[in-house]
Amino acid sequence: MKSTLALEADGLVKVFGETRAVDGLDLAVSSGRVYGVLGPNGAGKTTALRMFATLLRPDDGRVRVFGHDVVADAESVRKLVSLTGQFASIDEDLTGRQNLILLSRLLGYSRMASREKVDSLLEAFDLAAAADRKAATYSGGMRRRLDIAASVVSTPGLIFLDEPTTGLDPRSRNQVWDLVRAVVARGVTVILTTQYLDEADQLADRIAVIDHGKVVAEGTPSELKASVGSGALHVRVRDPQRRAETESILSATLDASVRIGSDPATLSVAVSDTRRVARALGELSEGGIDVVSYALGQPSLDEVFLALTGHPAEDDTITTSKEDVA
């Protein structure tokens, strides 16, 4: 491998008609870590990933994977990477074991080596008990585990995971997270695209926040949180009907935008000067607003995204390219 960087992207551009799905993207991903690419639907995550994996040709810019250019040396890149898309690519008419054996044989394993490899993967990914059932009978979490197992049959240097937990229940999501950590512990680099802020916070060593095809911020989760303020005040009011008044008081006192939570009684606001918090709570008390609970802590990645882009990460109103919904 020719580079200590697993992936370098410089000025990457991809245009579909009048839509610039990726618009001057720059990334530098070190080896042996999880690198999160965070953004809402339509931000350009999947389009970028498909260019990284040689499935799309960039309109401008350059990408190198372990020093190999994805256009000029695409064959070498394909030998070094594996891509797991948003939807499981397994054959549902085959059993879990047959899926993995088929792939391992296509990759050049002998019959004996294939059986040994597949047995170890089924055990490692907690699929041994269901190995001889058709994949069509698998739950969503089991299908995703089988899909990721297929991605590491050949032990690639770099795995692209495109929103791997979309649609999974919390238990299955945690299982996939554990698998990702196990893969990285074996020295594999993972580039993870996600619109789930807690997923990026749980897994990624560094995160690139992407909006409208551009990187708007990059750093560790802690660095990104620190970039929008020294803390965040989370407030729950007793009467949800008074949330609008609470928002007005907090905004005026703390001189910051207030984020309304999905719970009708909660609000949060980034705080640049924690000394103002006591004053803000005092203003609420003087206004007759009963605060059930409050907490001052580090901003969440959701608050970071809102501060950086002006809209929540789950905002579905953003124009979505055909590649990002494929």
Side-chain angles (χ1 to χ4, degrees):
M1 295 180 181
K2 300 178 181 180
S3 174
T4 57
L5 290 177
L7 182 139
E8 303 167 81
D10 301 308
L12 198 61
V13 174
K14 188 64 184 177
V15 179
F16 298 104
E18 297 181 357
T19 301
R20 294 178 71 87
V22 176
D23 189 13
L25 190 70
D26 297 314
L27 287 181
V29 179
S30 297
S31 301
R33 63 174 61 193
V34 179
Y35 191 95
V37 179
L38 177 65
N41 286 333
K45 304 185 304 297
T46 297
T47 301
L49 223 61
R50 295 185 69 183
M51 287 189 283
F52 298 161
T54 77
L55 298 178
L56 277 177
R57 189 184 183 95
D59 292 324
D60 199 1
R62 186 180 183 190
V63 181
R64 291 173 294 278
V65 173
F66 293 113
H68 299 279
D69 189 280
V70 299
V71 175
D73 199 6
E75 185 175 348
S76 295
V77 172
R78 290 173 189 141
K79 292 177 181 178
L80 294 168
V81 305
S82 180
L83 170 64
T84 298
Q86 295 179 21
F87 306 101
S89 57
I90 57 178
D91 188 329
E92 295 189 346
D93 291 328
L94 300 180
T95 66
R97 186 187 305 279
Q98 288 170 337
N99 268 282
L100 295 179
I101 286 177
L102 174 62
L103 184 57
S104 63
R105 294 288 283 151
L106 288 171
L107 289 170
Y109 283 79
S110 67
R111 289 181 185 275
M112 182 178 293
S114 175
R115 286 196 297 270
E116 292 175 355
K117 182 71 173 180
V118 168
D119 285 344
S120 67
L121 286 172
L122 290 169
E123 190 68 35
F125 285 75
D126 195 23
L127 291 168
D132 297 313
R133 284 169 40 196
K134 281 191 174 184
T137 68
Y138 285 12
S139 68
M142 293 170 68
R143 292 185 190 198
R144 180 51 77 187
R145 297 205 304 275
L146 180 60
D147 213 25
I148 296 175
S151 297
V152 297
V153 165
S154 61
T155 314
L158 174 60
I159 295 179
F160 301 112
L161 294 181
D162 190 12
E163 302 196 17
T165 63
T166 296
L168 298 185
D169 60 79
R171 179 174 178 272
S172 295
R173 287 182 72 197
N174 285 329
Q175 289 177 333
V176 171
W177 290 355
D178 288 341
L179 292 178
V180 173
R181 295 184 185 106
V183 166
V184 174
R186 294 164 58 183
V188 177
T189 305
V190 173
I191 294 182
L192 167 79
T193 72
T194 182
Q195 58 181 314
Y196 297 133
L197 297 129
D198 59 332
E199 184 160 87
D201 211 359
Q202 283 281 337
L203 295 176
D205 300 291
R206 294 187 73 81
I207 298 170
V209 180
I210 293 183
D211 193 37
H212 294 93
K214 298 180 180 180
V215 175
V216 296
E218 198 269 352
T220 67
S222 295
E223 288 170 347
L224 291 175
K225 291 172 184 178
S227 71
V228 300
S230 58
L233 175 64
H234 305 277
V235 173
R236 174 184 289 274
V237 296
R238 186 173 301 280
D239 183 1
Q241 299 297 321
R242 304 199 67 181
R243 188 166 70 169
E245 295 175 64
T246 306
E247 178 184 3
S248 178
I249 291 172
L250 290 177
S251 178
T253 308
L254 297 173
D255 191 26
S257 297
V258 178
R259 181 172 179 269
I260 304 299
S262 56
D263 183 325
T266 63
L267 310 90
S268 60
V269 55
V271 179
S272 58
D273 184 354
T274 56
R275 293 172 296 183
R276 293 188 179 187
V277 171
R279 178 185 166 196
L281 294 173
E283 292 285 344
L284 292 176
S285 178
E286 289 181 14
I289 296 174
D290 190 2
V291 175
V292 176
S293 64
Y294 65 89
L296 181 63
Q298 197 175 40
S300 68
L301 281 180
D302 204 2
E303 290 157 339
V304 171
F305 198 93
L306 180 64
L308 291 170
T309 67
H311 58 78
E314 65 273 14
D315 189 349
D316 286 327
T317 63
I318 300 171
T319 302
T320 305
S321 82
K322 64 180 180 180
E323 296 299 331
D324 277 343
V325 297

